[in-house]
Amino acid sequence: MGLLDRWRKPTPGGGASRPGTRPPGRRSRRRARRAEPAVNEAQLREALREDPNDATAFGALAELVRTRAVLAREEDAGGTPEPDEVRRAADNAEWALAEEMAQSPQAWRPLLVLGRLSLADDREAALRRLGIAAERDGSGAGLAAALGILRDAGMNDEALSLGVGHWRPREHDLEAGRHLVAAAIDAGRLSEARRHLKALGMHPDSAGADRLRAELEHRIARASR
């Protein structure tokens, strides 16, 4: 919570207006906007204490703390801060939330957030977090999300390494298989893509697997031309 506290710290003077900053009405509106979501924050945190992987609660609370951090940064700056400062403030707030929620041994969704936010600055630590998230979620949804994060970052080889190490085609969500085959296609490793595509046939949802295989076979055929 240290980062959240840092971005939420009060301005010197306890909120008294400073000459030449902004009209009092605008500041009042900002304070009102910051106060509005607090009504639901306790409920969201309680939901996440019960289930740290609750996608709806985590998304809502992440949006709340990011918005609050941006507004606080704008107030601290006494004007309009640089876009990079605003992004860092929001990312720091979301990081602090994810770090707090990741303390639960069942948590995997917060680890995905930590992995995504640290991917550019600490690749090895990010990959480790994504791997732990994949291990903690038996449904395969965590693995699918981790592979999606890596693919979005253009890290298809890393996605393949993560997927090969954790994918269980008989048990995992079909979306994990989709990302794994797509990563192989995007990496130009078509023989590997075909091997993973064949493994999709082991999934118990045969109808869903057949639809997905038809879609991916079309992609492989296009990539082979």
Side-chain angles (χ1 to χ4, degrees):
M1 294 299 290
L3 288 171
L4 265 177
D5 293 337
R6 184 177 70 185
W7 289 118
R8 293 172 62 184
K9 68 177 184 292
T11 54
S17 61
R18 297 192 300 261
T21 53
R22 62 173 62 85
R26 182 179 176 188
R27 174 170 292 182
S28 297
R29 286 194 299 273
R30 286 192 183 279
R31 285 176 177 163
R33 286 169 61 195
R34 292 178 67 185
E36 284 170 5
V39 175
N40 296 321
E41 181 172 357
Q43 294 175 337
L44 293 172
R45 289 186 177 278
E46 180 60 29
L48 288 172
R49 276 191 288 271
E50 294 179 5
D51 178 8
N53 304 309
D54 184 322
T56 301
F58 192 93
L61 189 53
E63 182 63 24
L64 187 157
V65 299
R66 287 182 70 90
T67 299
R68 178 185 295 156
V70 169
L71 294 174
R73 187 68 190 124
E74 290 175 351
E75 289 187 4
D76 288 348
T80 303
E82 293 295 322
D84 283 348
E85 293 180 9
V86 172
R87 179 187 56 77
R88 279 197 301 272
D91 285 351
N92 283 341
E94 188 175 7
W95 175 280
L97 171 64
E99 195 170 44
E100 175 188 353
M101 297 305 166
Q103 300 307 309
S104 167
Q106 288 79 40
W108 53 266
R109 192 173 299 280
L111 287 169
L112 293 173
V113 175
L114 295 175
R116 172 175 55 80
L117 292 175
S118 61
L119 200 55
D121 298 325
D122 193 341
R123 175 179 168 277
E124 293 304 320
L127 291 174
R128 185 168 61 252
R129 291 171 179 125
L130 295 177
I132 295 172
E135 289 172 0
R136 287 184 176 181
D137 174 43
S139 74
L143 175 60
L147 296 177
I149 289 169
L150 293 173
R151 290 186 60 222
D152 287 344
M155 300 172 66
N156 292 297
D157 289 333
E158 289 81 357
L160 285 168
S161 295
L162 178 64
V164 168
H166 293 88
W167 187 42
R168 300 194 297 273
R170 288 187 176 89
E171 305 169 29
H172 280 168
D173 190 297
L174 284 170
E175 196 64 17
R178 179 199 299 276
H179 277 300
L180 187 58
V181 176
I185 295 171
D186 292 343
R189 294 158 62 171
L190 299 186
S191 61
E192 188 170 349
R194 292 187 183 96
R195 187 168 67 252
H196 297 318
L197 184 65
K198 183 178 180 180
L200 278 169
M202 295 186 286
H203 198 277
D205 180 4
S206 56
D210 286 345
R211 287 192 296 269
L212 179 56
R213 290 174 69 186
E215 172 193 326
L216 293 170
E217 281 171 356
H218 182 63
R219 286 195 58 185
I220 291 173
R222 283 189 302 169
S224 301
R225 292 176 190 150

